[in-house]
Coordinates of all heavy atoms in Angstrom, one line a residue:
M811 N -55.6 33.5 72.2 CA -55.5 34.9 71.7 C -56.9 35.5 71.8 O -57.7 35.2 71.0 CB -54.9 34.9 70.3 CG -54.9 36.2 69.7 SD -53.9 36.2 68.1 CE -54.9 35.2 67.1
S812 N -57.1 36.4 72.8 CA -58.4 37.0 72.9 C -58.3 38.4 72.4 O -57.4 39.1 72.9 CB -58.8 37.0 74.3 OG -60.1 37.7 74.4
L813 N -59.0 38.8 71.4 CA -58.8 40.2 70.8 C -59.7 41.1 71.6 O -61.0 41.0 71.5 CB -59.2 40.1 69.3 CG -58.3 39.1 68.5 CD1 -58.8 39.0 67.1 CD2 -56.9 39.4 68.6
G814 N -59.2 42.1 72.2 CA -59.9 43.1 72.9 C -60.5 44.2 72.1 O -60.3 44.2 70.8
P815 N -61.3 45.1 72.7 CA -61.9 46.1 71.9 C -60.9 47.1 71.2 O -61.3 47.8 70.2 CB -62.7 46.9 73.0 CG -62.1 46.5 74.3 CD -61.4 45.2 74.1
D816 N -59.7 47.2 71.7 CA -58.7 48.0 71.0 C -58.0 47.4 69.9 O -57.2 48.0 69.1 CB -57.6 48.5 72.0 CG -58.2 49.3 73.2 OD1 -59.3 49.9 72.9 OD2 -57.6 49.4 74.3
H817 N -58.2 46.1 69.6 CA -57.6 45.4 68.5 C -58.2 45.8 67.2 O -59.4 46.0 67.0 CB -57.8 43.9 68.7 CG -57.3 43.1 67.4 ND1 -55.9 42.9 67.3 CD2 -57.9 42.5 66.5 CE1 -55.7 42.2 66.2 NE2 -56.9 42.0 65.6
E818 N -57.3 46.2 66.2 CA -57.7 46.5 64.8 C -57.6 45.3 64.1 O -56.6 44.8 63.7 CB -56.7 47.6 64.3 CG -57.1 48.0 62.9 CD -58.4 48.7 62.8 OE1 -58.7 49.5 63.8 OE2 -59.2 48.5 61.8
P819 N -58.8 44.6 63.7 CA -58.8 43.4 63.0 C -58.3 43.5 61.6 O -58.5 44.6 61.0 CB -60.3 43.0 63.1 CG -61.0 44.2 63.3 CD -60.2 45.2 64.0
S820 N -57.8 42.4 61.0 CA -57.3 42.4 59.7 C -58.6 42.5 58.8 O -59.8 42.2 59.3 CB -56.6 41.1 59.4 OG -57.4 40.0 59.6
A821 N -58.4 42.6 57.5 CA -59.6 42.6 56.6 C -60.2 41.2 56.6 O -61.4 41.0 56.5 CB -59.0 42.9 55.2
W822 N -59.3 40.2 56.7 CA -59.9 38.8 56.8 C -60.8 38.6 57.9 O -61.9 38.1 57.8 CB -58.7 37.7 56.8 CG -59.1 36.4 57.1 CD1 -59.7 35.5 56.2 CD2 -59.2 35.8 58.4 NE1 -60.1 34.4 56.8 CE2 -59.8 34.5 58.2 CE3 -58.8 36.1 59.7 CZ2 -60.0 33.5 59.2 CZ3 -59.0 35.3 60.7 CH2 -59.6 34.0 60.5
L823 N -60.3 39.0 59.1 CA -61.1 38.9 60.3 C -62.4 39.7 60.3 O -63.5 39.2 60.7 CB -60.3 39.2 61.5 CG -61.1 38.9 62.9 CD1 -61.5 37.5 63.0 CD2 -60.1 39.2 64.1
R824 N -62.3 40.9 59.8 CA -63.5 41.8 59.7 C -64.5 41.0 58.7 O -65.8 41.1 59.0 CB -63.2 43.2 59.0 CG -62.4 44.0 60.0 CD -62.4 45.5 59.5 NE -61.8 45.7 58.2 CZ -60.6 45.9 57.9 NH1 -59.7 45.9 59.0 NH2 -60.1 46.0 56.7
G825 N -64.1 40.4 57.7 CA -65.0 39.8 56.7 C -65.6 38.5 57.4 O -66.8 38.3 57.3
M826 N -64.8 37.8 58.2 CA -65.4 36.6 58.8 C -66.4 37.0 59.9 O -67.4 36.4 60.0 CB -64.2 35.8 59.6 CG -63.2 35.2 58.5 SD -63.9 34.0 57.4 CE -64.2 32.7 58.5
V827 N -66.1 38.1 60.7 CA -67.0 38.5 61.7 C -68.3 39.0 61.1 O -69.4 38.7 61.5 CB -66.3 39.6 62.5 CG1 -67.3 40.3 63.4 CG2 -65.3 38.9 63.4
A828 N -68.2 39.7 59.9 CA -69.4 40.2 59.2 C -70.2 39.1 58.8 O -71.5 39.1 58.9 CB -69.0 41.1 58.1
D829 N -69.6 38.1 58.2 CA -70.4 36.8 57.8 C -71.1 36.2 58.9 O -72.2 35.8 58.9 CB -69.4 35.8 57.1 CG -69.1 36.3 55.7 OD1 -69.7 37.3 55.2 OD2 -68.2 35.7 55.1
A830 N -70.3 36.0 60.0 CA -70.9 35.4 61.3 C -72.0 36.2 61.8 O -73.1 35.6 62.2 CB -69.8 35.2 62.3
L831 N -71.9 37.5 61.9 CA -73.0 38.3 62.3 C -74.3 38.2 61.5 O -75.4 38.1 61.9 CB -72.5 39.8 62.5 CG -71.8 40.1 63.7 CD1 -71.1 41.5 63.5 CD2 -72.6 40.1 65.0
R832 N -74.0 38.2 60.2 CA -75.1 38.1 59.2 C -75.9 36.7 59.4 O -77.0 36.6 59.4 CB -74.6 38.2 57.8 CG -75.6 38.5 56.7 CD -75.0 38.9 55.4 NE -73.7 38.4 55.1 CZ -72.6 39.1 55.1 NH1 -72.6 40.3 55.4 NH2 -71.5 38.5 54.7
H833 N -75.1 35.6 59.6 CA -75.7 34.4 59.8 C -76.3 34.1 61.2 O -77.3 33.4 61.2 CB -74.6 33.2 59.6 CG -74.3 33.1 58.1 ND1 -73.0 33.4 57.7 CD2 -74.9 32.6 57.1 CE1 -73.0 33.2 56.4 NE2 -74.1 32.7 56.0
A834 N -75.8 34.8 62.1 CA -76.4 34.7 63.5 C -77.5 35.6 63.9 O -78.1 35.5 64.9 CB -75.2 34.8 64.5
A835 N -77.7 36.7 63.1 CA -78.5 37.8 63.5 C -80.0 37.3 63.8 O -80.6 37.8 64.7 CB -78.5 38.9 62.4
H836 N -80.4 36.3 63.0 CA -81.8 35.9 63.1 C -82.0 35.2 64.4 O -83.1 35.0 65.0 CB -82.2 35.0 62.0 CG -81.6 33.7 62.0 ND1 -80.3 33.5 61.5 CD2 -82.0 32.5 62.3 CE1 -79.9 32.2 61.6 NE2 -81.0 31.6 62.1
L837 N -80.9 34.7 65.1 CA -81.0 34.0 66.4 C -80.9 34.9 67.6 O -81.3 34.6 68.7 CB -79.8 33.1 66.5 CG -79.8 31.9 65.5 CD1 -78.5 31.1 65.5 CD2 -81.0 31.0 65.6
A838 N -80.4 36.2 67.4 CA -80.3 37.2 68.4 C -81.6 37.4 69.2 O -81.6 37.5 70.4 CB -79.7 38.5 68.0
G839 N -82.7 37.4 68.5 CA -84.0 37.6 69.2 C -84.4 36.5 70.0 O -85.3 36.6 70.9
L840 N -83.8 35.3 70.0 CA -84.1 34.2 70.8 C -83.4 34.3 72.1 O -83.7 33.5 73.0 CB -83.8 32.9 70.1 CG -84.5 32.6 68.7 CD1 -83.9 31.4 68.1 CD2 -86.0 32.6 68.9
L841 N -82.4 35.1 72.2 CA -81.5 35.2 73.4 C -82.2 36.1 74.5 O -82.8 37.2 74.1 CB -80.2 35.7 73.1 CG -79.4 34.8 72.0 CD1 -78.1 35.5 71.6 CD2 -79.1 33.4 72.6
G842 N -81.9 35.8 75.7 CA -82.3 36.7 76.8 C -81.3 37.9 76.9 O -80.3 37.8 76.2
P843 N -81.6 38.8 77.7 CA -80.7 40.0 77.7 C -79.3 39.8 78.2 O -78.4 40.5 77.8 CB -81.5 41.0 78.7 CG -82.4 40.1 79.4 CD -82.8 38.9 78.5
D844 N -79.1 38.7 79.0 CA -77.7 38.4 79.4 C -77.1 37.2 78.7 O -76.0 36.8 79.1 CB -77.7 38.2 80.9 CG -78.1 39.4 81.7 OD1 -77.8 40.5 81.2 OD2 -78.8 39.3 82.7
D845 N -77.9 36.6 77.8 CA -77.3 35.4 77.1 C -76.2 35.7 76.1 O -76.2 36.9 75.5 CB -78.5 34.8 76.3 CG -79.5 34.1 77.2 OD1 -79.2 33.9 78.4 OD2 -80.6 33.8 76.7
V846 N -75.3 34.9 76.0 CA -74.2 35.0 74.9 C -74.2 33.7 74.1 O -74.1 32.6 74.7 CB -72.9 35.2 75.7 CG1 -71.7 35.2 74.6 CG2 -72.8 36.4 76.5
M847 N -74.2 33.8 72.8 CA -74.1 32.7 71.9 C -72.7 32.5 71.6 O -71.9 33.5 71.2 CB -74.9 32.9 70.7 CG -74.9 31.8 69.7 SD -75.8 32.0 68.2 CE -76.5 33.6 68.3
V848 N -72.2 31.3 71.7 CA -70.8 30.9 71.3 C -70.9 30.2 70.0 O -71.6 29.2 69.8 CB -70.1 30.0 72.4 CG1 -68.7 29.7 71.9 CG2 -70.1 30.8 73.7
A849 N -70.1 30.7 69.0 CA -70.2 30.0 67.6 C -68.8 30.0 67.0 O -67.9 30.8 67.3 CB -71.1 30.9 66.8
P850 N -68.6 29.0 66.1 CA -67.3 29.0 65.4 C -67.2 30.1 64.5 O -68.2 30.5 63.8 CB -67.3 27.6 64.7 CG -68.8 27.3 64.6 CD -69.5 27.9 65.7
L851 N -66.0 30.7 64.4 CA -65.8 31.9 63.5 C -66.1 31.5 62.0 O -66.6 32.4 61.3 CB -64.3 32.2 63.7 CG -63.8 33.4 62.8 CD1 -64.6 34.7 63.2 CD2 -62.3 33.6 62.9
T852 N -65.8 30.3 61.6 CA -66.1 29.9 60.3 C -67.5 29.6 59.9 O -67.8 29.4 58.8 CB -65.2 28.6 59.9 OG1 -65.6 27.6 60.8 CG2 -63.7 29.0 60.0
G853 N -68.3 29.4 61.0 CA -69.7 29.0 60.8 C -69.9 27.5 60.7 O -71.0 27.1 60.6
R854 N -68.8 26.8 60.7 CA -68.9 25.4 60.7 C -68.2 24.8 62.0 O -67.1 25.1 62.3 CB -68.4 24.7 59.4 CG -66.9 25.1 59.2 CD -66.4 24.5 57.9 NE -65.2 25.1 57.4 CZ -64.0 25.1 58.1 NH1 -63.9 24.5 59.3 NH2 -63.0 25.7 57.6
S855 N -68.9 23.9 62.6 CA -68.3 23.3 63.8 C -67.5 22.0 63.4 O -67.9 21.4 62.4 CB -69.3 23.0 64.9 OG -70.5 22.5 64.4
T856 N -66.6 21.7 64.2 CA -65.8 20.5 63.9 C -65.7 19.7 65.2 O -65.8 20.2 66.3 CB -64.4 20.8 63.5 OG1 -63.7 21.7 64.5 CG2 -64.3 21.6 62.1
R857 N -65.5 18.4 65.0 CA -65.3 17.5 66.2 C -64.0 17.9 66.9 O -63.0 17.9 66.3 CB -65.3 16.1 65.8 CG -65.4 15.1 66.9 CD -65.6 13.7 66.5 NE -64.7 13.2 65.4 CZ -63.5 12.8 65.5 NH1 -62.9 12.8 66.7 NH2 -62.7 12.5 64.5
S858 N -64.1 18.2 68.2 CA -63.0 18.6 69.0 C -61.8 17.5 68.8 O -62.1 16.3 69.0 CB -63.4 18.7 70.5 OG -62.3 19.1 71.2
G859 N -60.7 17.9 68.6 CA -59.5 17.0 68.5 C -59.3 16.4 67.1 O -58.4 15.7 66.8
S860 N -60.3 16.7 66.1 CA -60.2 16.1 64.8 C -59.1 16.9 64.0 O -58.7 17.9 64.4 CB -61.6 16.2 64.1 OG -61.8 17.5 63.9
R861 N -58.8 16.3 62.9 CA -57.7 17.0 62.1 C -58.3 18.3 61.6 O -57.6 19.3 61.6 CB -57.4 16.1 60.9 CG -56.3 16.7 60.0 CD -55.9 15.7 58.8 NE -55.0 16.4 58.0 CZ -53.7 16.3 58.2 NH1 -53.2 15.6 59.2 NH2 -52.8 16.9 57.3
E862 N -59.5 18.4 61.2 CA -60.1 19.6 60.8 C -60.2 20.6 61.9 O -60.0 21.8 61.6 CB -61.6 19.4 60.3 CG -62.2 20.6 59.6 CD -63.6 20.3 59.2 OE1 -64.2 19.3 59.5 OE2 -64.2 21.1 58.4
D863 N -60.4 20.2 63.1 CA -60.4 21.1 64.2 C -59.0 21.7 64.5 O -58.9 22.8 65.1 CB -60.8 20.3 65.5 CG -61.2 21.2 66.7 OD1 -61.8 22.3 66.4 OD2 -60.7 20.9 67.8
R864 N -57.9 21.1 64.0 CA -56.6 21.6 64.2 C -56.0 22.3 63.0 O -54.9 22.5 62.8 CB -55.6 20.4 64.5 CG -55.9 19.7 65.8 CD -55.5 20.3 67.0 NE -54.1 20.7 67.0 CZ -53.5 21.4 67.9 NH1 -54.3 21.8 69.0 NH2 -52.3 21.8 67.9
C865 N -56.9 22.7 62.0 CA -56.5 23.4 60.8 C -56.8 24.9 61.0 O -57.8 25.3 61.6 CB -57.3 22.9 59.6 SG -56.8 21.3 59.0
C866 N -55.9 25.7 60.5 CA -56.0 27.2 60.6 C -57.3 27.6 59.9 O -57.5 27.2 58.7 CB -54.7 27.8 60.0 SG -54.8 29.6 59.9
D867 N -58.0 28.5 60.5 CA -59.3 29.0 59.9 C -59.0 30.0 58.8 O -59.9 30.3 58.0 CB -60.1 29.7 61.0 CG -60.8 28.7 61.9 OD1 -61.0 27.5 61.5 OD2 -61.1 29.0 63.0
R868 N -57.8 30.5 58.7 CA -57.4 31.5 57.7 C -56.8 30.8 56.5 O -57.2 31.1 55.4 CB -56.5 32.6 58.3 CG -56.2 33.6 57.4 CD -55.5 34.7 58.1 NE -55.0 35.8 57.1 CZ -54.8 37.0 57.5 NH1 -54.9 37.4 58.7 NH2 -54.5 37.9 56.6
C869 N -55.8 29.9 56.7 CA -55.1 29.4 55.5 C -55.3 28.0 55.3 O -54.9 27.4 54.3 CB -53.6 29.7 55.6 SG -52.7 28.8 56.9
G870 N -55.9 27.3 56.3 CA -56.2 25.8 56.2 C -55.0 24.9 56.5 O -55.2 23.7 56.5
T871 N -53.9 25.5 56.9 CA -52.8 24.7 57.3 C -53.1 23.8 58.6 O -53.6 24.3 59.6 CB -51.6 25.5 57.7 OG1 -51.2 26.2 56.5 CG2 -50.4 24.7 58.1
Y872 N -52.7 22.5 58.5 CA -52.9 21.6 59.6 C -51.8 21.9 60.6 O -50.6 21.9 60.2 CB -52.9 20.1 59.1 CG -52.8 19.2 60.3 CD1 -53.9 19.0 61.1 CD2 -51.7 18.5 60.5 CE1 -53.8 18.1 62.2 CE2 -51.6 17.6 61.6 CZ -52.7 17.4 62.5 OH -52.6 16.5 63.5
V873 N -52.2 22.0 61.9 CA -51.2 22.2 62.9 C -51.3 21.1 63.9 O -52.3 20.9 64.6 CB -51.4 23.5 63.7 CG1 -50.3 23.8 64.8 CG2 -51.5 24.7 62.7
P874 N -50.3 20.2 63.9 CA -50.3 19.1 64.9 C -50.4 19.5 66.4 O -50.1 20.6 66.7 CB -49.0 18.3 64.7 CG -48.3 19.0 63.5 CD -49.0 20.3 63.3
E875 N -50.8 18.5 67.2 CA -50.8 18.9 68.7 C -49.5 19.5 69.1 O -48.4 19.2 68.6 CB -51.0 17.6 69.5 CG -52.4 17.0 69.4 CD -53.4 17.8 70.2 OE1 -53.1 18.4 71.1 OE2 -54.6 17.7 69.7
G876 N -49.6 20.5 69.9 CA -48.4 21.2 70.4 C -48.6 22.7 70.4 O -49.8 23.2 70.3
P877 N -47.6 23.5 70.5 CA -47.7 24.9 70.8 C -48.0 25.7 69.5 O -48.1 27.0 69.6 CB -46.4 25.3 71.4 CG -45.4 24.3 70.7 CD -46.2 23.0 70.6
G878 N -48.1 25.3 68.3 CA -48.2 26.1 67.2 C -49.6 26.5 66.8 O -49.8 27.2 65.8
F879 N -50.6 26.1 67.6 CA -52.0 26.5 67.2 C -52.5 27.5 68.2 O -52.4 27.4 69.4 CB -52.9 25.2 67.2 CG -54.2 25.4 66.6 CD1 -54.2 25.5 65.1 CD2 -55.4 25.3 67.2 CE1 -55.4 25.6 64.5 CE2 -56.6 25.4 66.6 CZ -56.6 25.6 65.2
H880 N -53.0 28.6 67.6 CA -53.4 29.7 68.5 C -55.0 29.8 68.4 O -55.6 30.1 67.4 CB -52.8 31.1 68.0 CG -51.3 31.0 68.0 ND1 -50.6 31.5 69.1 CD2 -50.4 30.5 67.2 CE1 -49.3 31.3 68.9 NE2 -49.2 30.7 67.7
L881 N -55.6 29.7 69.6 CA -57.0 29.9 69.6 C -57.3 31.4 69.5 O -56.6 32.3 70.0 CB -57.6 29.4 71.0 CG -57.4 27.9 71.2 CD1 -58.0 27.5 72.6 CD2 -58.2 27.1 70.2
L882 N -58.4 31.6 68.8 CA -58.8 33.0 68.5 C -60.2 33.2 69.1 O -61.1 32.5 68.8 CB -58.8 33.3 67.0 CG -59.5 34.5 66.5 CD1 -58.6 35.7 66.8 CD2 -59.7 34.4 65.0
V883 N -60.4 34.2 70.0 CA -61.7 34.5 70.5 C -61.9 36.0 70.3 O -61.1 36.9 70.7 CB -61.8 34.2 72.0 CG1 -63.1 34.6 72.6 CG2 -61.5 32.7 72.3
T884 N -63.1 36.4 69.8 CA -63.5 37.7 69.6 C -65.0 37.9 69.9 O -65.8 37.0 69.7 CB -63.1 38.2 68.2 OG1 -63.3 39.7 68.1 CG2 -63.9 37.5 67.1
Q885 N -65.3 39.0 70.5 CA -66.8 39.2 70.8 C -67.2 40.5 70.1 O -67.2 41.6 70.7 CB -66.9 39.3 72.3 CG -68.4 39.3 72.8 CD -68.6 39.1 74.3 OE1 -67.6 39.2 75.0 NE2 -69.8 38.8 74.7
P886 N -67.7 40.4 68.9 CA -68.1 41.6 68.2 C -69.4 42.2 68.7 O -69.6 43.5 68.4 CB -68.4 41.0 66.7 CG -68.7 39.6 66.9 CD -67.9 39.1 68.2
T887 N -70.2 41.5 69.4 CA -71.4 42.1 70.1 C -71.5 41.5 71.4 O -71.0 40.5 71.7 CB -72.7 41.8 69.2 OG1 -73.0 40.4 69.4 CG2 -72.6 42.2 67.8
P888 N -72.2 42.1 72.3 CA -72.5 41.5 73.7 C -73.0 40.1 73.6 O -72.9 39.4 74.5 CB -73.3 42.5 74.4 CG -73.2 43.8 73.7 CD -72.9 43.4 72.2
W889 N -73.8 39.8 72.6 CA -74.5 38.5 72.5 C -73.8 37.5 71.7 O -74.3 36.3 71.6 CB -75.9 38.7 72.1 CG -76.0 39.4 70.7 CD1 -76.1 40.7 70.5 CD2 -76.0 38.8 69.4 NE1 -76.2 41.0 69.2 CE2 -76.1 39.8 68.5 CE3 -76.0 37.5 69.0 CZ2 -76.1 39.6 67.1 CZ3 -75.9 37.2 67.6 CH2 -76.0 38.3 66.7
L890 N -72.7 37.7 71.1 CA -72.0 36.8 70.2 C -70.5 36.7 70.5 O -69.8 37.7 70.5 CB -72.2 37.1 68.8 CG -71.7 36.2 67.7 CD1 -72.3 34.8 67.9 CD2 -71.9 36.7 66.3
L891 N -70.1 35.4 70.8 CA -68.7 35.1 71.1 C -68.2 34.2 70.0 O -68.8 33.1 69.8 CB -68.5 34.5 72.5 CG -67.1 34.3 73.0 CD1 -66.5 35.7 73.3 CD2 -67.2 33.5 74.2
L892 N -67.2 34.6 69.2 CA -66.7 33.8 68.0 C -65.4 33.2 68.4 O -64.5 33.9 68.9 CB -66.6 34.6 66.8 CG -68.0 35.2 66.3 CD1 -67.6 36.3 65.2 CD2 -68.9 34.2 65.8
C893 N -65.3 31.9 68.1 CA -64.0 31.2 68.5 C -63.5 30.5 67.2 O -64.2 30.0 66.4 CB -64.3 30.1 69.5 SG -65.0 30.7 71.0
G894 N -62.2 30.5 67.1 CA -61.5 29.9 66.0 C -60.1 29.5 66.3 O -59.7 29.6 67.5
G895 N -59.3 29.1 65.3 CA -57.9 28.8 65.5 C -57.1 29.2 64.4 O -57.5 29.2 63.2
L896 N -55.8 29.6 64.7 CA -54.9 30.1 63.6 C -53.6 29.4 63.8 O -53.1 29.1 64.9 CB -54.7 31.6 63.7 CG -56.0 32.5 63.5 CD1 -55.6 33.9 63.8 CD2 -56.6 32.3 62.1
C897 N -52.9 29.2 62.7 CA -51.5 28.7 62.7 C -50.7 30.0 63.2 O -51.2 31.1 63.3 CB -51.1 28.3 61.3 SG -50.9 29.6 60.0
A898 N -49.4 29.7 63.5 CA -48.6 30.7 64.0 C -48.3 31.8 63.1 O -48.4 33.0 63.5 CB -47.2 30.1 64.4
A899 N -48.2 31.6 61.8 CA -48.1 32.6 60.8 C -49.2 33.5 60.7 O -49.1 34.8 60.6 CB -47.7 32.0 59.4
C900 N -50.5 33.0 60.6 CA -51.7 33.8 60.6 C -52.0 34.5 61.9 O -52.5 35.6 61.9 CB -52.9 32.9 60.2 SG -52.8 32.3 58.4
A901 N -51.7 33.9 63.1 CA -51.8 34.6 64.3 C -50.9 35.8 64.3 O -51.3 36.9 64.8 CB -51.4 33.6 65.4
A902 N -49.7 35.7 63.8 CA -48.8 36.8 63.8 C -49.3 37.9 62.8 O -49.2 39.1 63.2 CB -47.4 36.4 63.3
L903 N -49.9 37.6 61.8 CA -50.6 38.5 60.9 C -51.8 39.2 61.6 O -51.9 40.4 61.4 CB -51.1 37.9 59.6 CG -50.1 37.3 58.6 CD1 -50.8 36.5 57.5 CD2 -49.3 38.5 58.0
E904 N -52.4 38.5 62.4 CA -53.7 39.1 63.0 C -53.3 40.0 64.1 O -53.9 41.1 64.3 CB -54.6 38.1 63.5 CG -56.0 38.6 63.9 CD -56.6 39.3 62.8 OE1 -56.7 38.7 61.7 OE2 -57.1 40.5 63.1
V905 N -52.3 39.7 64.9 CA -51.9 40.6 66.0 C -50.7 41.6 65.6 O -50.4 42.4 66.4 CB -51.5 39.8 67.3 CG1 -52.7 39.1 67.7 CG2 -50.3 39.0 67.0
G906 N -50.3 41.5 64.3 CA -49.3 42.4 63.9 C -47.9 42.1 64.5 O -47.1 43.0 64.6
A907 N -47.7 40.9 65.0 CA -46.4 40.6 65.7 C -45.3 40.3 64.5 O -45.6 39.9 63.5 CB -46.5 39.4 66.5
Ligands
ZN267 ZN1 -52.8 30.0 58.8

């Protein structure tokens, strides 16, 4: 689920993005003009494939391997790409489905 510029983020996502921007802002000066920093939406990285990696970033629900986990990608600034994951219920809340 890649959220484009026309997406109206939920209050939760706006808060997460604001926190991420606040934490990453000091690194922006280290980037070149075309560089993009990729960071976890929650600010904490997890080992790929771990149980924590399969937990919803919004509600914490564990989602086993399969189709119920939705990757979330948003780019609030040209230099920052934020990635996360949501359970089906939280993904529906975010996209208004
Ligand atoms: Zn959830």
Side-chain angles (χ1 to χ4, degrees):
M811 175 170 68
S812 182
L813 303 176
D816 295 335
H817 175 73
E818 181 64 38
S820 67
W822 171 80
L823 184 56
R824 285 194 305 271
M826 295 300 286
V827 167
D829 286 348
L831 280 168
R832 198 167 30 254
H833 287 109
H836 70 285
L837 298 172
L840 303 174
L841 300 173
D844 297 326
D845 289 343
V846 177
M847 180 179 3
V848 178
L851 180 64
T852 60
R854 57 180 164 64
S855 44
T856 57
R857 188 171 47 82
S858 181
S860 67
R861 183 176 178 88
E862 186 181 14
D863 194 43
R864 300 279 311 172
C865 288
C866 176
D867 287 336
R868 185 172 175 153
C869 72
T871 297
Y872 170 70
V873 181
E875 288 286 334
F879 197 67
H880 300 263
L881 296 178
L882 168 71
V883 178
T884 187
Q885 188 168 15
T887 70
W889 55 268
L890 182 61
L891 192 66
L892 297 170
C893 303
L896 298 174
C897 71
C900 290
L903 289 173
E904 192 57 50
V905 297

